[in-house]
Amino acid sequence: MIRRTQAERSDETTGRLVRAARELFGAHGYALTSIDAMAAAAGVTKGAAYHHFNGKVALFRAAFVGEQEEVAAAVERAALSEPDPWAALRRGCRTFLERCLDPGFRQIVLLDAPSVLGWETVREIEYAHTLRVLLAGLDLATAEGDKVVLSMRAQLVFGALCEGGMLLARSADPAADLPRLAAEADRFLAALRP
C-alpha cells in the first residue's frame, strides 16, 4: 500500500472542496450556499474547510478561478482547431458565448463574481485567464502594433462578450438566442479586422 504525503492529502481535500464549491455556487448562487453544505458535499468537516480556505469568499474565489481556467482552456482548444488567426478569434469568442449557456458558469462568473469579489479582483483573475487568451487572439488576428490600443480593444471585446453572456442569462431560451447573438458578435469583430 502506497502512503500519500500530507501535501497530497491536502491537495486532494482542497480539490474536493473547490469541486463542491463550483457545483453548489453554480446551482444555488453565493447567497444560498453555506460552508457547511460545501464541506458536506466534499466529504470533509467544516473545520477542514476552514483549514484550507479562510471562509466562504475564499472558496468562491477558488471556484471562480476554476471556471476561468476551464473556459480559457476551452477557448484555446477551439481556437487551435481553426486554420487562420481570424477564424480562431471568431471561434474562441463563440466558445465563450457557448460556455455562457451553462447555468453554473453564468451564476458564478457573470452574476455573483462582481458583487462577491469586486470588479478589480474579477478583472485581475480574468486577465490571467480568459482575457489573456482573447488578447493573444486579437494580437494574432489584427496584427495591431500598438499594445495599448490592443489592450483597449481586447477589453472592449471582452466587455461585449460578457454582456452577451448576460443577455443569454436573462433569456427565456438561451440556446435559441445563441446563434443570433454569435452572429452579432461576428459583426462586432468584423469592425476590427484589418
Side-chain angles (χ1 to χ4, degrees), residues 24 61 105 111:
L24 294 174
R61 186 183 197 285
F105 179 84
L111 300 175

Side-chain angles (χ1 to χ4, degrees), residues 89-123:
L89 176 63
R90 291 177 62 229
R91 180 68 183 129
C93 290
R94 168 80 184 224
T95 299
F96 178 84
L97 291 172
E98 289 169 353
R99 185 74 176 114
C100 292
L101 293 178
D102 178 79
F105 179 84
R106 286 195 315 259
Q107 185 67 49
I108 292 170
V109 173
L110 300 173
L111 300 175
D112 285 341
S115 62
V116 174
L117 300 175
W119 185 87
E120 288 186 17
T121 299
V122 166
R123 275 297 186 256

Side-chain angles (χ1 to χ4, degrees), residues 3 8 28 36 48 71 96 107 122 129 134 141 177 186:
R3 295 191 68 172
E8 290 170 331
H28 307 293
D36 292 321
V71 74
F96 178 84
Q107 185 67 49
V122 166
H129 302 288
L134 178 60
D177 288 339
D186 280 346

Side-chain angles (χ1 to χ4, degrees), residues 60 69-70 106 137 168 186:
F60 182 84
E69 289 169 344
E70 191 173 288
R106 286 195 315 259
L168 293 173
D186 280 346

Side-chain angles (χ1 to χ4, degrees), residues 4 12 16 22-23 48 50 60 69 76 114 132 141 157 172 179:
R4 294 180 304 153
E12 180 188 343
R16 287 197 331 251
R22 286 176 72 184
E23 180 182 326
Y50 277 109
F60 182 84
E69 289 169 344
E76 285 180 318
R132 172 191 54 80
V157 170

